[in-house]
Structure formats: structure tokens, C-alpha cells
Amino acid sequence: MRKSVLIKYGELALKGLNRPHFEALLLRSLKRVLAPFGGFDYYTAQSTAVLHLKDENADLEAVKAAVSKVFGIVNFSFAYELPKDIDSVKAAVEETIGDELRAAKTFKVNAKRSDKAFPLNSPRICDEIGGHILSLYPHLKADMFDPDVVVTVEIRDQSAFLRAGDNKGAGGMPTGSNGKGLLLISGGIDSPVAGYMMAKRGMYVDAVHFFSYPYTSEMAKEKVITLCRKLSEYEGRTCLNIVNFTEIQENIRDFCPEELSTVILRRSMMRIATKIAKANNISCLISGESLGQVASQTLAAMTCTEAATDIPIFKPLIGFDKTDIVAIARKIDTFETSILPYEDCCTVFTPRHPKTRPTEAEVLEAEKNVDFAALEEKAFSSCEFMRLMPESETV
Ligand code: ATP
Ligand code: MG
């Protein structure tokens, strides 16, 4: 009997001929997160990867925490791999899942038979194993709707698998399967969530942060570093570019119309972010905008902002309400950091009456007052670069 981790794929099960490529990416992520547990042997079959951890005494709670951050997995479980006959499965119940059954009051048996040549069909497997469990643990009651423990017996091509309970996976697509994007990260609630959403779809996410020292503090920068480190837990690393934006902001304040200053500032951010993206072979930008949330996120303002770049800007939160965004921020543990009260450069020198319907023509006219090309080149070429790793992997 071998203890294994059964990894069930999400959408990549549907990938046809490209599936080996997606599987390889998923396994690469698993190797990274399971390296601290001594690695694993594995085989893949029928939309599932079966892993055997090299360290048989690995702390399963820690393994669970690690696997639950790997994108591309719908569901995973710790299962016992057994010979493919019903008596072997029965004989293993007490030793393998006895603790869970003793602690429960109610249970249910699920059977899945992907090997249709197996002599018992699924209802018969449920009857046999359910009856056996009741004879071993007479205190238990069967409950089909809300059981304390779900026992699953899977009859697969090579072996039978027995387990008590499943874990929800992170979903999405394997890291590295969908290109690379550059997240504009502010230190607020929205942008880390936007980065997570794109990372979940398989995109490698790098980040750029604009800061305006001394108008924004060193603490605001530290906050963004902490957020990027949290995001790196999903992908193994996050590269952060930090751009000094002070001179550009002062020029906008001094020489551009106040009511257009926010959209002009955001266009400048987009142009610098585009330079960074192109220099790093990154093909899109990512922002945390949500339609109508603030004056700079009206349709007209976003249209003006987007016109400043020639690469796509992905806005995964565009249709989300703040409450939905906060719920994800809590889930991915960025919320508490995001609400620390440090200024963002977008909130210094904010106009009293920002124009909610700016036109590109008037913005282009106003931008003539400042030599943006020179200032942006200077900000780009002096940008600071950091490669951030998960806290658990830093020495
Ligand atoms: P967030 O909660 O992400 O700060 P927000 O609701 O405060 O968003 P804005 O301040 O208008 O909205 O910013 C909109 C988007 O612009 C942010 O989600 C982020 O992608 C980007 N952004 C804002 N400030 C910065 C910054 N200092 N550096 C990099 N990107 C920024
Ligand atoms: Mg903000």
C-alpha cells in the first residue's frame, strides 16, 4: 500500500493534443512547492497525476497548504494506492482511514470506476465498502446529503485508490501557460487581486510600482514589496520594478490643468510601464481598475488612459464590485497589508474636481506643457529592480 497525492486537473483535461505541455507546466509547479518535502515520483493517467512523496512522513498539513497554491488543479486528496480488488480495499479501511471514521458520526461512500472491466459496478462498490465500514464502526450512520466524512473508492486503470475527504484546488491554468504580464501595483486593495486573477489564468505576473518620495513614504514601498512577496507564493517569484515618479508628478502639478492631472498622470504611468514591459519581453499590462469606481475609472477616462499604450491592458476586475474584490483579497491574504494607511502617488496632489469625461484631444494638448518623453526616459532608465521570492523560500 502506498500513500499518494491524487491531483485532479481543471480545464487542462480538455486540452487535447496540447495536454502534455500543460501537464509538464503543472508538474513543474508541483516540483517547486514540494521540493521542501524531498520531492516525489509520479505518473499521470486519466486527467489525474498520482504523486508519491519521497518523504513518507511529510507533514500533510504543510503539503496541503503548498499544493493548494498551485494553479491548474481543481481538486486534490491524499489517497492510498491499493491492488485492484474489492477485498484489498476492504482490508485497508481500518489501517488507512480508520482515524477519520472513528472521529465521524456520519459518512457516505462514493465510488468511481474508470476501469469499466472491473467486476463490480459503482453502486455495488458503495454497498460492499459501506457495509464493511458499518460492520467495523457500528456507531456510524450513513448520510447521503451532509456526511462528516466522504469515503471515495476509485477504480482506475492501474490501481484502486481509497481516501477520506478531498481538498479544493486553486483552479485556473498552470503557471507559465499563458504568457507574461506586467501588473501596475499600487499598494491598494484592487491591484494585488488583479495580479492574482491573471496569475490564476496561467500568466506569469511581474509588477511595476510608481512612488513619489517624499510625498509617499518608504513604508508605502515596503508595503508593495510585501504584497509582491505574497503574490510570488503562487508563481515562485515576482519581479518588481520600482519607478521614481516624483519629478513627473511635480511637473504635472505645476504645468498641466488640475482637472486633467489624474488622467495625464495615469497615461504617463502607462507609457513607462510599456517601456518596462517591452524591455522585459512582456506583452501586456494588468491594472486593478473597476468600471466607475473613481473618477479615473469612467469609460471616458479609461479610454484616454489606454490610448497612451500600444499593448493590451488587462483589467480582470472591471465588472467586480468592491465587496467581491475585498472577499478575494481576504482569501489570498493581501487585504490586511493593503489597508495599511500609507499614501499612494495617485492620491497625492489629487484634483478637487477631476474631469470624468476627458477627451484624448484635450489631454494631448495639455501634455504639450511638459517634456514627458525626456522625463519618462529618465524615470525608466533609473528604475529599481527586485526579484522577490515567497517568504518560506528566502534564507
Ligand atoms: P488599488 O486599490 O489597486 O490602489 P484604486 O481603486 O485605488 O486601485 P486607482 O488609484 O485609480 O484605483 O488606481 C487604479 C489602478 O492603477 C490600480 O489598480 C493599479 O493597477 C494602478 N496604480 C495606481 N497607483 C499605482 C502606483 N502607484 N503604481 C503602480 N500602479 C498604480
Ligand atoms: Mg490606489
Side-chain angles (χ1 to χ4, degrees):
M1 178 196 334
R2 295 175 86 188
K3 192 163 202 176
S4 47
V5 191
L6 281 190
I7 305 278
K8 306 277 178 159
Y9 305 161
E11 284 167 54
L12 72 156
L14 309 171
K15 288 292 171 196
L17 291 179
N18 288 328
R19 189 154 120 190
H21 167 65
F22 289 92
E23 262 177 4
L25 291 171
L26 176 59
L27 284 159
R28 189 169 73 181
S29 295
L30 285 166
K31 280 180 189 153
R32 177 177 64 74
V33 301
L34 294 176
F37 308 96
F40 56 84
D41 300 318
Y42 72 94
Y43 64 87
T44 59
Q46 301 162 301
S47 305
T48 305
V50 180
L51 317 185
H52 295 116
L53 293 177
K54 292 202 174 139
D55 176 4
E56 301 225 328
N57 301 315
D59 171 358
L60 294 189
E61 279 306 310
V63 170
K64 184 171 148 184
V67 174
S68 64
K69 290 203 163 141
V70 173
F71 294 129
I73 297 174
V74 254
N75 172 295
F76 66 97
S77 53
F78 299 108
Y80 295 87
E81 186 164 8
L82 301 162
K84 238 170 72 173
D85 63 81
I86 199 76
D87 289 335
S88 298
V89 177
K90 281 184 184 170
V93 166
E94 186 144 31
E95 189 187 335
T96 56
I97 57 172
D99 287 349
E100 285 90 341
L101 291 170
R102 266 186 292 275
K105 290 199 173 75
T106 57
F107 81 114
K108 168 186 174 178
V109 181
N110 256 344
K112 293 180 190 163
R113 190 180 58 132
S114 50
D115 171 10
K116 300 295 176 208
F118 191 73
L120 305 182
N121 64 15
S122 299
R124 283 285 312 279
I125 298 170
C126 288
D127 283 352
E128 290 275 340
I129 300 299
H132 181 65
I133 288 175
L134 283 172
S135 71
L136 288 173
Y137 309 103
H139 73 281
L140 280 175
K141 293 215 166 3
D143 180 343
M144 295 303 116
F145 302 104
D146 188 22
D148 296 338
V149 174
V150 178
V151 172
T152 304
V153 180
E154 271 191 63
I155 307 293
R156 304 176 65 84
D157 281 353
Q158 303 195 20
S159 314
F161 290 88
L162 175 65
R163 65 180 187 264
D166 275 332
N167 305 290
K168 200 169 173 325
M173 298 291 290
T175 297
S177 61
N178 272 319
K180 201 167 171 188
L182 183 65
L183 169 69
L184 285 96
I185 189 163
S186 66
I189 296 170
D190 306 333
S191 39
V193 173
Y196 164 81
M197 300 286 286
M198 296 312 292
K200 184 173 179 212
R201 294 306 302 166
M203 191 174 260
Y204 266 124
V205 175
D206 280 3
V208 56
H209 176 65
F210 295 87
F211 82 102
S212 287
Y213 188 77
Y215 305 106
T216 62
S217 67
E218 203 52 39
M219 295 304 286
K221 197 160 126 183
E222 284 303 317
K223 176 174 161 180
V224 170
I225 293 173
T226 304
L227 290 169
C228 285
R229 217 185 270 296
K230 285 181 187 284
L231 289 178
S232 76
E233 287 179 18
Y234 294 90
E235 303 195 292
R237 94 294 167 275
T238 299
C239 295
L240 171 63
N241 301 271
I242 300 184
V243 177
N244 184 338
F245 209 44
T246 311
E247 200 178 354
I248 293 176
Q249 280 208 273
E250 287 172 340
N251 271 270
I252 295 174
R253 177 195 59 190
D254 296 341
F255 302 112
C256 294
E258 186 184 317
E259 72 278 10
L260 293 177
S261 60
T262 307
V263 70
I264 291 175
L265 168 128
R266 298 189 56 72
R267 282 167 55 89
S268 183
M269 281 185 175
M270 294 304 153
R271 286 189 294 263
I272 298 173
T274 305
K275 280 177 189 274
I276 295 173
K278 289 183 176 172
N280 291 283
N281 232 344
I282 297 175
S283 44
C284 69
L285 305 180
I286 303 165
S287 98
E289 288 158 303
S290 156
L291 185 61
Q293 196 188 76
V294 286
S296 60
Q297 294 173 29
T298 62
L299 180 56
M302 285 192 292
T303 305
C304 270
T305 305
E306 277 190 45
T309 181
D310 57 358
I311 60 176
I313 309 178
F314 286 115
K315 302 174 182 182
L317 308 182
I318 199 72
F320 279 45
D321 292 348
K322 196 75 183 187
T323 46
D324 304 331
I325 301 170
V326 166
I328 301 175
R330 287 189 191 280
K331 187 179 93 175
I332 64 172
D333 189 35
T334 53
F335 182 75
E336 297 298 330
T337 307
S338 289
I339 58 172
L340 293 173
Y342 307 121
E343 289 278 356
D344 177 44
C345 70
C346 274
T347 50
V348 295
F349 318 139
T350 32
R352 277 155 298 184
H353 302 293
K355 203 157 181 181
T356 51
R357 288 195 200 167
T359 64
E360 198 186 351
E362 65 185 339
V363 169
L364 285 170
E365 191 53 38
E367 283 178 350
K368 287 183 184 157
N369 298 340
V370 174
D371 185 354
F372 280 104
L375 290 173
E376 286 165 5
E377 186 54 34
K378 187 170 158 196
F380 164 67
S381 51
S382 60
C383 145
E384 191 185 337
F385 178 84
M386 299 180 184
R387 188 180 161 89
L388 298 165
M389 309 284 285
E391 194 148 12
S392 57
E393 291 175 33
T394 35
V395 277

